[in-house]
Amino acid sequence: DSNVVAEIVINEANFFEGMKTGDDNESVIHEIGIKLIKTDNNGNVYVTEFVPAGAIGKYDADTVKTIEWTTVEDKHSFTIEYNEDADYVLEIAYTDYSENDSETVSYDNEFVTEKVVKTYTSKVITVDKTAPVITVDFDPAQPVNTIDGTEYYNSAATATVTVNEHNFRPSDFEALVSAVNVTGAAVAITDYNAYFKNPENWTKSGNIHTIKVPFETDANYAFDYTFEDLALNTEEVDYETYLFTVDKTIPEIPVIKYSTPVLEKIIEALTFGYYQAQAEVTVTVDDITSGIDTIIWKYIKQTGSSVINAENSETTVERADIKCSDGKKTATISFMIPAQARGNISVTAVDRSNN
């Protein structure tokens, strides 16, 4: 996650950097070839050759730079800095022409002494100073409701997670997903951490790595993640946990109860002919996932009944006026039937996912 410096050191008493020792071009005591192969994050390859002062490059390089040696007694060194995000490989070839290094080779039974070319190829050194960029997008793009920071869906939701990072491994992605119902009890779901770590679930296009994550089980989800690239870089922005609910199920059928005076009203109506006491209606309804958001009750006047009876009415009870119990699973409302009424009561409950 920072610049890397490579130091090339040659310990040699008679080191002449590959310069000529005489007037002819064949008399060379040492020859050294150094090239740095850089592959950037887009796959472009650049070759830089480092040559002694006054020498001509021997490789097909994009750039040729002069070596600036630092010499302390028999130790000769110089440094190369890897300062851009890329993969680097350093190759060195060194030949000593003073016969200190040689080997005997047979060509058609004739023995010839040849100089040994010493070579070195480094491992791939990766410089990565760039933080990964991670985005999360949901489908459907728009939830049916957003309440207190939680987004509600009435269908399965798919999260598309995109990681813009050159040095990416799925095994480094840690997904933290929990799921509960409206009471807080855990809901059995897919092992999402294992899903994220499976390379087969990711697609790659250059440095863009994408995974589509389906959330199909009815539950209230909390989704968070951590990720470090191979250079231990993390996101520059720490996003809040994603809170969302998948609820594809309609609430339970409402239960309607009338207060005792209704029965008394019937008895007294039979005995005396009139009874004008109001009756209280209590409605309870359960929703196990998202909870009830609104309850709509309607009074529908019976066709042909007297004009003295109450006319049709409709009332919507919002969440702030709904009493919740059993961990918010059960919603309850109460209301009064008009004293002079003859008709039917109907109730519609709507949960937070608009079911």
Side-chain angles (χ1 to χ4, degrees), residues 13 63 147 305:
T63 305
I147 302 172
S305 64

Side-chain angles (χ1 to χ4, degrees), residues 173-178 192-193 196 221-226 241-242:
F173 199 102
E174 295 288 337
L176 309 171
V177 181
S178 63
Y192 283 102
N193 195 37
F196 273 94
Y221 291 90
F223 168 45
D224 204 351
Y225 61 84
T226 60
T241 300
Y242 291 88

